[in-house]
Amino acid sequence: MSLTKEELQELVRNKLGNRPLLVVSNREPYIHVFAGSQVRCQVPASGLTVALDPVMRACGGIWIAHGSGNADREVVDEKNRVAVPPQEPSYTLRRIWLSKEEEEGYYLGFSNEALWPLCHIAYTPPTFDEAHWNMYQRVNRKFAEAVLDETEDNEAFVFIQDYHLALLSRMIKEKNPRLVTAQFWHIPWPNPEAFRICPWGREILHGLLGNDLLGFHIRYHCDNFLDTVRLLLEARVDRERSQVTYGGKTTLVRPYPISVDFHRIAQEAARPEVEKEMEQIQQRWDTGDKFVGIGIDRLDYTKGIPHRLKALDKFLTKYPEYLGRIVFFQLGEPSRVHIKRYKELNAEIEDLVEEINWKYESDEWKPVILLREHLPPSTLMAFNRLADFCIVSSLHDGMNLVAKEFVSSRIDEDGVLILSHFTGAARELNEAVLINPYATDEFAEAIKTAIEMPPEQRQARMRKLRQVVAQNNIYRWAGDIISQLADLKS
Ligand code: GDG
């Protein structure tokens, strides 16, 4: 059953009463940065914050996160708090400051060089470094202190986000047992054989089982988690009830497929500014009479960007009748650029784009346009609306919100989504053209299928996709988790 923003607000009021809700994540939903002498507020490219901001706008409360913008300190009060969003403040952001050393060890090091590749099967091996692990524990403690400072010894619901904070729930509950905690793991959970290589795997499981509720996007990740606990800990794992009892405490493990604010995206996509941007894009890149394909990603090696470029290359070789008739835009924000693997990825993407363009371009046409920068949401929307097809080719992805944003933007009920089987989203969006990003020939055929799909079929499929996303929207995701959390305490 779908849920509106107003219904979620009501549900939160009924279920939580006057017990406060705290969200804790590494990434903040709003970043303040200097633009000359002015302070500008930016929305980061992160699925997690994009998904949770509408929830907090609806519920109010406190969001604790790392203050990462160079002007973040300029706008906070003496408790490091600022009201957000800036145009219509509806909740409080409390910022935590990290030293460079802490950021390196906890964020770049343990979170993104160990846990991220450990949990994604994308054939990038994790690096485990004891100094990073020590820093990870220290920063988790720092977040714990901020939560305890906000909640004192009162009852509260704490909703913890993601793999940066695996130790948090146990740390805060040891000090304040009246806290009820849920944690959502936004990335896949691998099978036990893959997970057991982590030297501190048991400590991570011990930390996560401090939660009352643990959520993953899909049932498959829940099952992998239960199997991992069974392999590594002395715990009672109940597959039927999907719960673990460990050290006398029970943790429920449940799937909650995350989503987007379907109606807000659909409304914004219809704004005249977006339509104006669509025209500007068409003029600037001369796409009027051409097929337009798009890929929008945080530039990450799990997103299969080189794989899609290779498929596009294959498509152009196999079907030369499309030379001069198709433009593919690869858009996206560089991410984690201080990590070597990400530098390599950026170089690889650049080389591939250069190679493809060199091979096929003419004086007045280039097949691939790479825009590697942070683009405003209205521009992304304009591209979403213009595209004949959108490619999401992740090698492994918890959910993938880009796919759901594309579908939500298509108020014209047109456009084809080409989607990797290895995303959580593929479980729901089965009217997409599903692909294996490693199978280059099949992938190239899928591009042809998308381009040549008859309009009635495109419309029928997009209609069904839109029904799915409208139904399973972000408010339903939040409502399901908060209801479950509150029921544990009632
Ligand atoms: C993790 C999981 C899960 C991209 N470039 C720009 C920009 N974006 C936005 C997209 C989208 C978001 O970034 C990326 O979301 P994803 O879901 O694709 O991926 P992750 O960041 O890896 O998120 C993922 C998600 O958590 C939620 O649970 O779905 O599986 O890996 O919203 O539109 N946004 C702006 N400028 C850009 O240039 N403004």
Side-chain angles (χ1 to χ4, degrees):
M1 192 199 51
S2 143
L3 207 63
T4 63
K5 186 171 166 177
E6 291 69 32
E7 284 164 345
L8 175 67
Q9 265 163 339
E10 179 151 345
L11 180 145
V12 170
R13 265 194 303 273
N14 289 342
K15 293 274 185 179
L16 302 189
N18 47 17
R19 292 167 296 191
L21 174 69
L22 278 87
V23 165
V24 194
S25 69
N26 170 68
R27 182 64 71 94
E28 53 181 351
Y30 294 91
I31 304 183
H32 288 90
V33 288
F34 282 115
S37 58
Q38 305 273 338
V39 171
R40 220 162 24 101
C41 187
Q42 253 187 21
V43 177
S46 137
L48 178 161
T49 52
V50 168
L52 270 167
D53 177 63
V55 175
M56 286 302 274
R57 286 187 196 213
C59 311
I62 298 174
W63 186 326
I64 300 177
H66 168 216
S68 58
N70 59 12
D72 272 358
R73 286 175 198 262
E74 303 295 312
V75 296
V76 295
D77 67 11
E78 68 288 349
K79 279 199 104 179
N80 299 318
R81 291 159 146 200
V82 55
V84 288
Q87 313 78 11
E88 43 164 350
S90 34
Y91 65 96
T92 302
L93 171 61
R94 174 171 172 153
R95 288 176 166 147
I96 289 188
W97 313 116
L98 299 181
S99 66
K100 210 160 193 167
E101 200 191 9
E102 286 172 332
E103 216 179 319
E104 262 173 41
Y106 140 85
Y107 179 73
L108 294 170
F110 197 72
S111 298
N112 287 320
E113 286 189 293
L115 287 177
W116 178 269
L118 178 73
C119 290
H120 288 93
I121 312 293
Y123 304 98
T124 289
T127 312
F128 300 109
D129 178 325
E130 187 146 4
H132 292 167
W133 167 241
N134 290 338
M135 206 50 94
Y136 183 83
Q137 295 174 79
R138 178 161 129 187
V139 173
N140 269 249
R141 237 171 270 126
K142 214 167 181 174
F143 275 85
E145 279 156 22
V147 174
L148 293 166
D149 183 48
E150 291 293 342
T151 54
E152 296 172 340
D153 50 9
N154 299 318
E155 241 182 77
F157 290 100
V158 185
F159 187 14
I160 304 167
Q161 306 303 315
D162 231 356
Y163 60 99
H164 313 87
L165 300 169
L167 311 175
L168 184 64
S169 67
R170 196 167 286 281
M171 287 174 176
I172 56 178
K173 285 216 208 162
E174 271 164 9
K175 294 270 162 52
N176 178 1
R178 297 178 75 202
L179 298 176
V180 186
T181 68
Q183 181 148 8
F184 192 78
W185 195 262
H186 290 257
I187 63 176
W189 190 277
N191 66 61
E193 287 305 320
F195 186 81
R196 75 189 306 187
I197 66 168
C198 177
W200 304 285
R202 286 195 175 83
E203 285 87 336
I204 286 166
L205 294 174
H206 175 79
L208 285 173
L209 292 172
N211 284 291
D212 301 288
L213 176 63
L214 186 56
F216 296 94
H217 292 295
I218 56 175
R219 161 67 43 206
Y220 185 61
H221 299 154
C222 296
D223 290 345
N224 278 345
F225 179 80
L226 295 174
D227 292 345
T228 307
V229 171
R230 199 196 308 260
L231 182 74
L232 295 181
L233 292 184
E234 288 288 322
R236 190 146 51 83
V237 175
D238 185 336
R239 269 275 208 157
E240 214 141 278
R241 292 204 179 110
S242 197
Q243 65 184 40
V244 177
T245 307
Y246 171 66
K249 177 186 173 13
T250 298
T251 304
L252 302 188
V253 180
R254 296 282 183 276
Y256 300 103
I258 206 167
S259 193
V260 293
D261 189 345
F262 177 86
H263 291 291
R264 190 161 79 105
I265 295 177
Q267 254 173 20
E268 285 184 9
R271 280 169 41 212
E273 294 90 312
V274 172
E275 280 165 9
K276 205 161 144 221
E277 282 204 57
M278 288 165 71
E279 276 168 32
Q280 284 165 351
I281 295 167
Q282 277 175 319
Q283 275 167 13
R284 172 153 182 220
W285 307 103
D286 189 23
T287 60
D289 56 346
K290 301 188 178 70
F291 293 102
V292 172
I294 56 166
I296 303 178
D297 309 81
R298 198 173 46 68
L299 296 178
D300 194 288
Y301 56 82
T302 59
K303 305 290 180 188
I305 301 164
H307 300 69
R308 91 179 56 141
L309 292 170
K310 285 176 194 159
L312 198 71
D313 185 2
K314 182 59 83 85
F315 166 80
L316 290 172
T317 304
K318 264 177 115 171
Y319 303 107
E321 62 272 29
Y322 284 104
L323 293 177
R325 295 177 55 210
I326 177 172
V327 181
F328 185 75
F329 291 92
Q330 177 58 55
L331 319 174
E333 186 167 2
S335 171
R336 306 173 191 166
V337 285
H338 302 296
I339 297 176
K340 188 164 156 258
R341 181 67 186 88
Y342 288 77
K343 288 196 182 105
E344 289 165 2
L345 172 76
N346 273 283
E348 190 185 356
I349 294 173
E350 212 165 279
D351 285 354
L352 276 167
V353 170
E354 212 252 303
E355 207 176 294
I356 297 172
N357 283 341
W358 170 250
K359 201 147 123 194
Y360 304 105
E361 75 190 341
S362 64
D363 286 347
E364 56 286 334
W365 170 75
K366 260 193 198 343
V368 186
I369 291 163
L370 174 64
L371 299 178
R372 215 167 13 170
E373 60 198 280
H374 178 87
L375 296 165
S378 61
T379 309
L380 295 183
M381 238 164 227
F383 275 106
N384 271 328
R385 280 198 56 190
L386 259 183
D388 295 291
F389 63 97
C390 168
I391 302 184
V392 172
S393 53
S394 313
L395 307 182
H396 203 188
D397 214 332
M399 176 53 68
N400 193 287
L401 296 180
V402 171
K404 293 188 171 180
E405 287 163 356
F406 175 66
V407 168
S408 310
S409 313
R410 295 313 297 242
I411 42 185
D412 59 349
E413 300 181 327
D414 204 348
V416 180
L417 174 64
I418 299 177
L419 178 63
S420 163
H421 277 294
F422 312 129
T423 59
R427 311 277 164 135
E428 291 167 82
L429 303 181
N430 36 39
E431 290 294 327
V433 174
L434 294 173
I435 50 130
N436 169 357
Y438 293 96
T440 311
D441 282 277
E442 269 174 52
F443 193 166
E445 288 306 316
I447 296 176
K448 183 162 185 282
T449 306
I451 290 180
E452 295 180 358
M453 192 180 285
E456 324 74 68
Q457 198 188 337
R458 286 201 308 259
Q459 192 185 53
R461 291 172 85 145
M462 183 50 81
R463 259 194 200 146
K464 287 196 187 139
L465 290 171
R466 288 175 64 75
Q467 274 164 10
V468 172
V469 184
Q471 189 75 16
N472 302 340
N473 65 5
I474 184 64
Y475 299 114
R476 176 177 170 180
W477 174 81
D480 286 350
I481 296 177
I482 291 170
S483 296
Q484 179 70 72
L485 193 60
D487 288 348
L488 286 171
K489 194 61 192 170
S490 56

